[in-house]
Amino acid sequence: MKRAALSASRAKDFKQCPLRFRYLMVDKLPEPPSSAAVRGTLVHAVLERIFDLPAAARDEGAAQELVGPQWDELAQKRPEVHELFAEAGDVDAFLSQARALVSNYFRLENPQRLDPTARERFVEVELGSGVLLRGFVDRIDTAPNGAVRVVDYKTGKAPSPRFTEEALFQMRFYALMLWRLDGVAPARLQLIYLGDGRTLTLDPHTDDLLAFEAELDQLWDRIEDAARREDFRPRKTPLCPWCSFQEFCPEFGGTIPPIPEEGLESLLAARRSSLDRS
Ligand code: SF4
């Protein structure tokens, strides 16, 4: 049985709606691809590949030339993305939107002056409490003095001040993982919003990360409690229109299916006890 791990997205899902979390993490229901998500994957791939080129060649023209081949690769790997487009013209419009986002990137950064130490880095780390965290970090830059900057690309627009803390949740999650894994707390966390060419930055203090670690431990306690009681309640929020599980949601007239035992067991076995670790 694969050990369950908490990602930043699933942690946010549980906070938003425990039932949605259950469908993704316990029932493992697939979510149909959305054009926004596929566009995000494509633009991320282009911004990762641009750093394969020699520094002097990393200009906007080179990045735009990567869009077509990266799209072909993505469509080959995930044939279901074709279902998103009824007509060939729709693909053209989709690719132009992706190109506009790539163009916005060059208004914010000059990749010729960057030398990332990691791109799309897979990170998995166990906290002192035995909770396993997992995620992919878009980019890590390391300054000559060793200071680490964690960068994440978003294809949407920057949030209003009301939702800034929520947006930074994911970055604190990455910062905590990297701190626990590498022993160096990132000096800067940066979200790059390609939708409107804005950035959101936080220079976290280690006290801030310790408090965040405690918050995640408490969140996992709540998840385990819900799993033990087999009680993942729906919580209706303004984000429900984007949820793919309305047909199984009582808030929308749906019926909750029986909970799969295997997924539940994997969740309850995820946290290693201190005895397991000794
Ligand atoms: S529709 Fe809303 S309340 Fe229902 S499962 Fe999805 S997020 Fe939760």
mmCIF file with all atom_site columns, all heavy atoms in Angstrom, residues 130-152:
data_model
loop_
_atom_site.group_PDB
_atom_site.id
_atom_site.type_symbol
_atom_site.label_atom_id
_atom_site.label_alt_id
_atom_site.label_comp_id
_atom_site.label_asym_id
_atom_site.label_entity_id
_atom_site.label_seq_id
_atom_site.pdbx_PDB_ins_code
_atom_site.Cartn_x
_atom_site.Cartn_y
_atom_site.Cartn_z
_atom_site.occupancy
_atom_site.B_iso_or_equiv
_atom_site.pdbx_formal_charge
_atom_site.auth_seq_id
_atom_site.auth_comp_id
_atom_site.auth_asym_id
_atom_site.auth_atom_id
_atom_site.pdbx_PDB_model_num
ATOM 1   N N   . GLY A 1 130 ? 5.892  12.939 11.966  1.00 0.00 ? 130 GLY A N   1
ATOM 2   C CA  . GLY A 1 130 ? 5.629  11.727 11.187  1.00 0.00 ? 130 GLY A CA  1
ATOM 3   C C   . GLY A 1 130 ? 4.727  11.969 9.984   1.00 0.00 ? 130 GLY A C   1
ATOM 4   O O   . GLY A 1 130 ? 4.454  11.060 9.211   1.00 0.00 ? 130 GLY A O   1
ATOM 5   N N   . VAL A 1 131 ? 4.271  13.210 9.791   1.00 0.00 ? 131 VAL A N   1
ATOM 6   C CA  . VAL A 1 131 ? 3.420  13.524 8.633   1.00 0.00 ? 131 VAL A CA  1
ATOM 7   C C   . VAL A 1 131 ? 4.316  13.675 7.400   1.00 0.00 ? 131 VAL A C   1
ATOM 8   O O   . VAL A 1 131 ? 5.351  14.348 7.449   1.00 0.00 ? 131 VAL A O   1
ATOM 9   C CB  . VAL A 1 131 ? 2.630  14.838 8.868   1.00 0.00 ? 131 VAL A CB  1
ATOM 10  C CG1 . VAL A 1 131 ? 1.855  15.234 7.617   1.00 0.00 ? 131 VAL A CG1 1
ATOM 11  C CG2 . VAL A 1 131 ? 1.687  14.681 10.050  1.00 0.00 ? 131 VAL A CG2 1
ATOM 12  N N   . LEU A 1 132 ? 3.897  13.026 6.311   1.00 0.00 ? 132 LEU A N   1
ATOM 13  C CA  . LEU A 1 132 ? 4.697  13.072 5.082   1.00 0.00 ? 132 LEU A CA  1
ATOM 14  C C   . LEU A 1 132 ? 4.158  14.163 4.153   1.00 0.00 ? 132 LEU A C   1
ATOM 15  O O   . LEU A 1 132 ? 2.954  14.196 3.867   1.00 0.00 ? 132 LEU A O   1
ATOM 16  C CB  . LEU A 1 132 ? 4.602  11.702 4.392   1.00 0.00 ? 132 LEU A CB  1
ATOM 17  C CG  . LEU A 1 132 ? 5.511  11.447 3.198   1.00 0.00 ? 132 LEU A CG  1
ATOM 18  C CD1 . LEU A 1 132 ? 6.988  11.444 3.625   1.00 0.00 ? 132 LEU A CD1 1
ATOM 19  C CD2 . LEU A 1 132 ? 5.165  10.107 2.541   1.00 0.00 ? 132 LEU A CD2 1
ATOM 20  N N   . LEU A 1 133 ? 5.049  15.032 3.696   1.00 0.00 ? 133 LEU A N   1
ATOM 21  C CA  . LEU A 1 133 ? 4.666  16.093 2.756   1.00 0.00 ? 133 LEU A CA  1
ATOM 22  C C   . LEU A 1 133 ? 5.302  15.810 1.407   1.00 0.00 ? 133 LEU A C   1
ATOM 23  O O   . LEU A 1 133 ? 6.400  15.255 1.329   1.00 0.00 ? 133 LEU A O   1
ATOM 24  C CB  . LEU A 1 133 ? 5.156  17.466 3.243   1.00 0.00 ? 133 LEU A CB  1
ATOM 25  C CG  . LEU A 1 133 ? 4.788  17.917 4.649   1.00 0.00 ? 133 LEU A CG  1
ATOM 26  C CD1 . LEU A 1 133 ? 5.302  19.337 4.873   1.00 0.00 ? 133 LEU A CD1 1
ATOM 27  C CD2 . LEU A 1 133 ? 3.286  17.863 4.882   1.00 0.00 ? 133 LEU A CD2 1
ATOM 28  N N   . ARG A 1 134 ? 4.615  16.237 0.350   1.00 0.00 ? 134 ARG A N   1
ATOM 29  C CA  . ARG A 1 134 ? 5.123  15.949 -0.994  1.00 0.00 ? 134 ARG A CA  1
ATOM 30  C C   . ARG A 1 134 ? 4.736  17.095 -1.932  1.00 0.00 ? 134 ARG A C   1
ATOM 31  O O   . ARG A 1 134 ? 3.676  17.696 -1.752  1.00 0.00 ? 134 ARG A O   1
ATOM 32  C CB  . ARG A 1 134 ? 4.452  14.660 -1.474  1.00 0.00 ? 134 ARG A CB  1
ATOM 33  C CG  . ARG A 1 134 ? 5.037  14.044 -2.721  1.00 0.00 ? 134 ARG A CG  1
ATOM 34  C CD  . ARG A 1 134 ? 4.292  12.750 -3.038  1.00 0.00 ? 134 ARG A CD  1
ATOM 35  N NE  . ARG A 1 134 ? 4.683  11.649 -2.157  1.00 0.00 ? 134 ARG A NE  1
ATOM 36  C CZ  . ARG A 1 134 ? 3.912  10.585 -1.928  1.00 0.00 ? 134 ARG A CZ  1
ATOM 37  N NH1 . ARG A 1 134 ? 2.724  10.470 -2.480  1.00 0.00 ? 134 ARG A NH1 1
ATOM 38  N NH2 . ARG A 1 134 ? 4.338  9.618  -1.126  1.00 0.00 ? 134 ARG A NH2 1
ATOM 39  N N   . GLY A 1 135 ? 5.593  17.377 -2.903  1.00 0.00 ? 135 GLY A N   1
ATOM 40  C CA  . GLY A 1 135 ? 5.223  18.412 -3.872  1.00 0.00 ? 135 GLY A CA  1
ATOM 41  C C   . GLY A 1 135 ? 6.297  18.617 -4.924  1.00 0.00 ? 135 GLY A C   1
ATOM 42  O O   . GLY A 1 135 ? 7.398  18.068 -4.824  1.00 0.00 ? 135 GLY A O   1
ATOM 43  N N   . PHE A 1 136 ? 5.949  19.396 -5.930  1.00 0.00 ? 136 PHE A N   1
ATOM 44  C CA  . PHE A 1 136 ? 6.901  19.784 -6.968  1.00 0.00 ? 136 PHE A CA  1
ATOM 45  C C   . PHE A 1 136 ? 7.113  21.289 -6.876  1.00 0.00 ? 136 PHE A C   1
ATOM 46  O O   . PHE A 1 136 ? 6.140  22.053 -6.863  1.00 0.00 ? 136 PHE A O   1
ATOM 47  C CB  . PHE A 1 136 ? 6.351  19.470 -8.366  1.00 0.00 ? 136 PHE A CB  1
ATOM 48  C CG  . PHE A 1 136 ? 6.480  18.029 -8.746  1.00 0.00 ? 136 PHE A CG  1
ATOM 49  C CD1 . PHE A 1 136 ? 5.447  17.137 -8.499  1.00 0.00 ? 136 PHE A CD1 1
ATOM 50  C CD2 . PHE A 1 136 ? 7.638  17.553 -9.356  1.00 0.00 ? 136 PHE A CD2 1
ATOM 51  C CE1 . PHE A 1 136 ? 5.556  15.798 -8.851  1.00 0.00 ? 136 PHE A CE1 1
ATOM 52  C CE2 . PHE A 1 136 ? 7.764  16.220 -9.710  1.00 0.00 ? 136 PHE A CE2 1
ATOM 53  C CZ  . PHE A 1 136 ? 6.724  15.344 -9.460  1.00 0.00 ? 136 PHE A CZ  1
ATOM 54  N N   . VAL A 1 137 ? 8.375  21.696 -6.820  1.00 0.00 ? 137 VAL A N   1
ATOM 55  C CA  . VAL A 1 137 ? 8.685  23.126 -6.742  1.00 0.00 ? 137 VAL A CA  1
ATOM 56  C C   . VAL A 1 137 ? 9.091  23.585 -8.142  1.00 0.00 ? 137 VAL A C   1
ATOM 57  O O   . VAL A 1 137 ? 9.975  22.990 -8.766  1.00 0.00 ? 137 VAL A O   1
ATOM 58  C CB  . VAL A 1 137 ? 9.832  23.363 -5.735  1.00 0.00 ? 137 VAL A CB  1
ATOM 59  C CG1 . VAL A 1 137 ? 10.177 24.841 -5.643  1.00 0.00 ? 137 VAL A CG1 1
ATOM 60  C CG2 . VAL A 1 137 ? 9.449  22.815 -4.362  1.00 0.00 ? 137 VAL A CG2 1
ATOM 61  N N   . ASP A 1 138 ? 8.436  24.645 -8.632  1.00 0.00 ? 138 ASP A N   1
ATOM 62  C CA  . ASP A 1 138 ? 8.705  25.089 -10.013 1.00 0.00 ? 138 ASP A CA  1
ATOM 63  C C   . ASP A 1 138 ? 10.171 25.439 -10.251 1.00 0.00 ? 138 ASP A C   1
ATOM 64  O O   . ASP A 1 138 ? 10.781 25.005 -11.216 1.00 0.00 ? 138 ASP A O   1
ATOM 65  C CB  . ASP A 1 138 ? 7.850  26.322 -10.357 1.00 0.00 ? 138 ASP A CB  1
ATOM 66  C CG  . ASP A 1 138 ? 6.393  25.948 -10.636 1.00 0.00 ? 138 ASP A CG  1
ATOM 67  O OD1 . ASP A 1 138 ? 6.106  24.746 -10.754 1.00 0.00 ? 138 ASP A OD1 1
ATOM 68  O OD2 . ASP A 1 138 ? 5.560  26.870 -10.728 1.00 0.00 ? 138 ASP A OD2 1
ATOM 69  N N   . ARG A 1 139 ? 10.694 26.296 -9.357  1.00 0.00 ? 139 ARG A N   1
ATOM 70  C CA  . ARG A 1 139 ? 12.081 26.724 -9.598  1.00 0.00 ? 139 ARG A CA  1
ATOM 71  C C   . ARG A 1 139 ? 12.739 27.139 -8.290  1.00 0.00 ? 139 ARG A C   1
ATOM 72  O O   . ARG A 1 139 ? 12.078 27.709 -7.417  1.00 0.00 ? 139 ARG A O   1
ATOM 73  C CB  . ARG A 1 139 ? 12.087 27.918 -10.563 1.00 0.00 ? 139 ARG A CB  1
ATOM 74  C CG  . ARG A 1 139 ? 13.419 28.145 -11.260 1.00 0.00 ? 139 ARG A CG  1
ATOM 75  C CD  . ARG A 1 139 ? 13.358 29.347 -12.168 1.00 0.00 ? 139 ARG A CD  1
ATOM 76  N NE  . ARG A 1 139 ? 13.623 30.571 -11.458 1.00 0.00 ? 139 ARG A NE  1
ATOM 77  C CZ  . ARG A 1 139 ? 13.128 31.770 -11.801 1.00 0.00 ? 139 ARG A CZ  1
ATOM 78  N NH1 . ARG A 1 139 ? 12.353 31.900 -12.846 1.00 0.00 ? 139 ARG A NH1 1
ATOM 79  N NH2 . ARG A 1 139 ? 13.418 32.832 -11.082 1.00 0.00 ? 139 ARG A NH2 1
ATOM 80  N N   . ILE A 1 140 ? 14.021 26.832 -8.178  1.00 0.00 ? 140 ILE A N   1
ATOM 81  C CA  . ILE A 1 140 ? 14.792 27.279 -7.012  1.00 0.00 ? 140 ILE A CA  1
ATOM 82  C C   . ILE A 1 140 ? 16.031 28.009 -7.533  1.00 0.00 ? 140 ILE A C   1
ATOM 83  O O   . ILE A 1 140 ? 16.755 27.488 -8.390  1.00 0.00 ? 140 ILE A O   1
ATOM 84  C CB  . ILE A 1 140 ? 15.212 26.076 -6.128  1.00 0.00 ? 140 ILE A CB  1
ATOM 85  C CG1 . ILE A 1 140 ? 13.964 25.314 -5.641  1.00 0.00 ? 140 ILE A CG1 1
ATOM 86  C CG2 . ILE A 1 140 ? 16.054 26.548 -4.946  1.00 0.00 ? 140 ILE A CG2 1
ATOM 87  C CD1 . ILE A 1 140 ? 14.267 24.015 -4.924  1.00 0.00 ? 140 ILE A CD1 1
ATOM 88  N N   . ASP A 1 141 ? 16.226 29.226 -7.039  1.00 0.00 ? 141 ASP A N   1
ATOM 89  C CA  . ASP A 1 141 ? 17.427 30.006 -7.387  1.00 0.00 ? 141 ASP A CA  1
ATOM 90  C C   . ASP A 1 141 ? 18.287 30.113 -6.130  1.00 0.00 ? 141 ASP A C   1
ATOM 91  O O   . ASP A 1 141 ? 17.744 30.279 -5.027  1.00 0.00 ? 141 ASP A O   1
ATOM 92  C CB  . ASP A 1 141 ? 17.050 31.431 -7.823  1.00 0.00 ? 141 ASP A CB  1
ATOM 93  C CG  . ASP A 1 141 ? 16.109 31.443 -9.026  1.00 0.00 ? 141 ASP A CG  1
ATOM 94  O OD1 . ASP A 1 141 ? 16.246 30.557 -9.902  1.00 0.00 ? 141 ASP A OD1 1
ATOM 95  O OD2 . ASP A 1 141 ? 15.235 32.329 -9.082  1.00 0.00 ? 141 ASP A OD2 1
ATOM 96  N N   . THR A 1 142 ? 19.584 30.018 -6.316  1.00 0.00 ? 142 THR A N   1
ATOM 97  C CA  . THR A 1 142 ? 20.481 30.170 -5.167  1.00 0.00 ? 142 THR A CA  1
ATOM 98  C C   . THR A 1 142 ? 21.475 31.287 -5.460  1.00 0.00 ? 142 THR A C   1
ATOM 99  O O   . THR A 1 142 ? 22.186 31.245 -6.474  1.00 0.00 ? 142 THR A O   1
ATOM 100 C CB  . THR A 1 142 ? 21.235 28.845 -4.881  1.00 0.00 ? 142 THR A CB  1
ATOM 101 O OG1 . THR A 1 142 ? 20.265 27.795 -4.795  1.00 0.00 ? 142 THR A OG1 1
ATOM 102 C CG2 . THR A 1 142 ? 22.002 28.911 -3.569  1.00 0.00 ? 142 THR A CG2 1
ATOM 103 N N   . ALA A 1 143 ? 21.497 32.285 -4.589  1.00 0.00 ? 143 ALA A N   1
ATOM 104 C CA  . ALA A 1 143 ? 22.408 33.431 -4.767  1.00 0.00 ? 143 ALA A CA  1
ATOM 105 C C   . ALA A 1 143 ? 23.828 33.009 -4.396  1.00 0.00 ? 143 ALA A C   1
ATOM 106 O O   . ALA A 1 143 ? 24.019 32.011 -3.694  1.00 0.00 ? 143 ALA A O   1
ATOM 107 C CB  . ALA A 1 143 ? 21.947 34.577 -3.860  1.00 0.00 ? 143 ALA A CB  1
ATOM 108 N N   . PRO A 1 144 ? 24.838 33.762 -4.860  1.00 0.00 ? 144 PRO A N   1
ATOM 109 C CA  . PRO A 1 144 ? 26.228 33.413 -4.520  1.00 0.00 ? 144 PRO A CA  1
ATOM 110 C C   . PRO A 1 144 ? 26.445 33.306 -3.006  1.00 0.00 ? 144 PRO A C   1
ATOM 111 O O   . PRO A 1 144 ? 27.289 32.546 -2.550  1.00 0.00 ? 144 PRO A O   1
ATOM 112 C CB  . PRO A 1 144 ? 27.047 34.571 -5.111  1.00 0.00 ? 144 PRO A CB  1
ATOM 113 C CG  . PRO A 1 144 ? 26.179 35.105 -6.205  1.00 0.00 ? 144 PRO A CG  1
ATOM 114 C CD  . PRO A 1 144 ? 24.768 34.905 -5.772  1.00 0.00 ? 144 PRO A CD  1
ATOM 115 N N   . ASN A 1 145 ? 25.673 34.061 -2.200  1.00 0.00 ? 145 ASN A N   1
ATOM 116 C CA  . ASN A 1 145 ? 25.851 33.967 -0.733  1.00 0.00 ? 145 ASN A CA  1
ATOM 117 C C   . ASN A 1 145 ? 25.070 32.799 -0.128  1.00 0.00 ? 145 ASN A C   1
ATOM 118 O O   . ASN A 1 145 ? 24.978 32.671 1.090   1.00 0.00 ? 145 ASN A O   1
ATOM 119 C CB  . ASN A 1 145 ? 25.450 35.283 -0.050  1.00 0.00 ? 145 ASN A CB  1
ATOM 120 C CG  . ASN A 1 145 ? 23.947 35.553 -0.179  1.00 0.00 ? 145 ASN A CG  1
ATOM 121 O OD1 . ASN A 1 145 ? 23.213 34.774 -0.789  1.00 0.00 ? 145 ASN A OD1 1
ATOM 122 N ND2 . ASN A 1 145 ? 23.507 36.652 0.396   1.00 0.00 ? 145 ASN A ND2 1
ATOM 123 N N   . GLY A 1 146 ? 24.465 31.968 -0.982  1.00 0.00 ? 146 GLY A N   1
ATOM 124 C CA  . GLY A 1 146 ? 23.755 30.777 -0.497  1.00 0.00 ? 146 GLY A CA  1
ATOM 125 C C   . GLY A 1 146 ? 22.280 31.007 -0.224  1.00 0.00 ? 146 GLY A C   1
ATOM 126 O O   . GLY A 1 146 ? 21.553 30.060 0.089   1.00 0.00 ? 146 GLY A O   1
ATOM 127 N N   . ALA A 1 147 ? 21.809 32.265 -0.339  1.00 0.00 ? 147 ALA A N   1
ATOM 128 C CA  . ALA A 1 147 ? 20.388 32.550 -0.081  1.00 0.00 ? 147 ALA A CA  1
ATOM 129 C C   . ALA A 1 147 ? 19.529 31.872 -1.153  1.00 0.00 ? 147 ALA A C   1
ATOM 130 O O   . ALA A 1 147 ? 19.850 31.918 -2.348  1.00 0.00 ? 147 ALA A O   1
ATOM 131 C CB  . ALA A 1 147 ? 20.144 34.051 -0.079  1.00 0.00 ? 147 ALA A CB  1
ATOM 132 N N   . VAL A 1 148 ? 18.460 31.227 -0.687  1.00 0.00 ? 148 VAL A N   1
ATOM 133 C CA  . VAL A 1 148 ? 17.608 30.449 -1.601  1.00 0.00 ? 148 VAL A CA  1
ATOM 134 C C   . VAL A 1 148 ? 16.307 31.198 -1.868  1.00 0.00 ? 148 VAL A C   1
ATOM 135 O O   . VAL A 1 148 ? 15.667 31.711 -0.939  1.00 0.00 ? 148 VAL A O   1
ATOM 136 C CB  . VAL A 1 148 ? 17.309 29.066 -0.969  1.00 0.00 ? 148 VAL A CB  1
ATOM 137 C CG1 . VAL A 1 148 ? 16.232 28.330 -1.752  1.00 0.00 ? 148 VAL A CG1 1
ATOM 138 C CG2 . VAL A 1 148 ? 18.585 28.237 -0.900  1.00 0.00 ? 148 VAL A CG2 1
ATOM 139 N N   . ARG A 1 149 ? 15.939 31.248 -3.140  1.00 0.00 ? 149 ARG A N   1
ATOM 140 C CA  . ARG A 1 149 ? 14.639 31.824 -3.516  1.00 0.00 ? 149 ARG A CA  1
ATOM 141 C C   . ARG A 1 149 ? 13.807 30.726 -4.185  1.00 0.00 ? 149 ARG A C   1
ATOM 142 O O   . ARG A 1 149 ? 14.284 30.026 -5.077  1.00 0.00 ? 149 ARG A O   1
ATOM 143 C CB  . ARG A 1 149 ? 14.849 32.980 -4.498  1.00 0.00 ? 149 ARG A CB  1
ATOM 144 C CG  . ARG A 1 149 ? 13.528 33.552 -5.000  1.00 0.00 ? 149 ARG A CG  1
ATOM 145 C CD  . ARG A 1 149 ? 13.718 34.794 -5.821  1.00 0.00 ? 149 ARG A CD  1
ATOM 146 N NE  . ARG A 1 149 ? 14.370 34.532 -7.098  1.00 0.00 ? 149 ARG A NE  1
ATOM 147 C CZ  . ARG A 1 149 ? 14.490 35.424 -8.075  1.00 0.00 ? 149 ARG A CZ  1
ATOM 148 N NH1 . ARG A 1 149 ? 14.034 36.647 -7.901  1.00 0.00 ? 149 ARG A NH1 1
ATOM 149 N NH2 . ARG A 1 149 ? 15.095 35.106 -9.199  1.00 0.00 ? 149 ARG A NH2 1
ATOM 150 N N   . VAL A 1 150 ? 12.562 30.590 -3.719  1.00 0.00 ? 150 VAL A N   1
ATOM 151 C CA  . VAL A 1 150 ? 11.645 29.602 -4.292  1.00 0.00 ? 150 VAL A CA  1
ATOM 152 C C   . VAL A 1 150 ? 10.660 30.352 -5.177  1.00 0.00 ? 150 VAL A C   1
ATOM 153 O O   . VAL A 1 150 ? 10.039 31.326 -4.735  1.00 0.00 ? 150 VAL A O   1
ATOM 154 C CB  . VAL A 1 150 ? 10.869 28.869 -3.172  1.00 0.00 ? 150 VAL A CB  1
ATOM 155 C CG1 . VAL A 1 150 ? 9.948  27.819 -3.764  1.00 0.00 ? 150 VAL A CG1 1
ATOM 156 C CG2 . VAL A 1 150 ? 11.828 28.233 -2.184  1.00 0.00 ? 150 VAL A CG2 1
ATOM 157 N N   . VAL A 1 151 ? 10.532 29.901 -6.418  1.00 0.00 ? 151 VAL A N   1
ATOM 158 C CA  . VAL A 1 151 ? 9.669  30.602 -7.381  1.00 0.00 ? 151 VAL A CA  1
ATOM 159 C C   . VAL A 1 151 ? 8.574  29.663 -7.870  1.00 0.00 ? 151 VAL A C   1
ATOM 160 O O   . VAL A 1 151 ? 8.831  28.491 -8.165  1.00 0.00 ? 151 VAL A O   1
ATOM 161 C CB  . VAL A 1 151 ? 10.516 31.091 -8.592  1.00 0.00 ? 151 VAL A CB  1
ATOM 162 C CG1 . VAL A 1 151 ? 9.638  31.748 -9.643  1.00 0.00 ? 151 VAL A CG1 1
ATOM 163 C CG2 . VAL A 1 151 ? 11.603 32.049 -8.131  1.00 0.00 ? 151 VAL A CG2 1
ATOM 164 N N   . ASP A 1 152 ? 7.361  30.198 -7.946  1.00 0.00 ? 152 ASP A N   1
ATOM 165 C CA  . ASP A 1 152 ? 6.247  29.415 -8.465  1.00 0.00 ? 152 ASP A CA  1
ATOM 166 C C   . ASP A 1 152 ? 5.516  30.264 -9.506  1.00 0.00 ? 152 ASP A C   1
ATOM 167 O O   . ASP A 1 152 ? 5.226  31.430 -9.264  1.00 0.00 ? 152 ASP A O   1
ATOM 168 C CB  . ASP A 1 152 ? 5.289  29.054 -7.318  1.00 0.00 ? 152 ASP A CB  1
ATOM 169 C CG  . ASP A 1 152 ? 4.346  27.938 -7.720  1.00 0.00 ? 152 ASP A CG  1
ATOM 170 O OD1 . ASP A 1 152 ? 4.790  26.777 -7.756  1.00 0.00 ? 152 ASP A OD1 1
ATOM 171 O OD2 . ASP A 1 152 ? 3.174  28.225 -8.017  1.00 0.00 ? 152 ASP A OD2 1
#
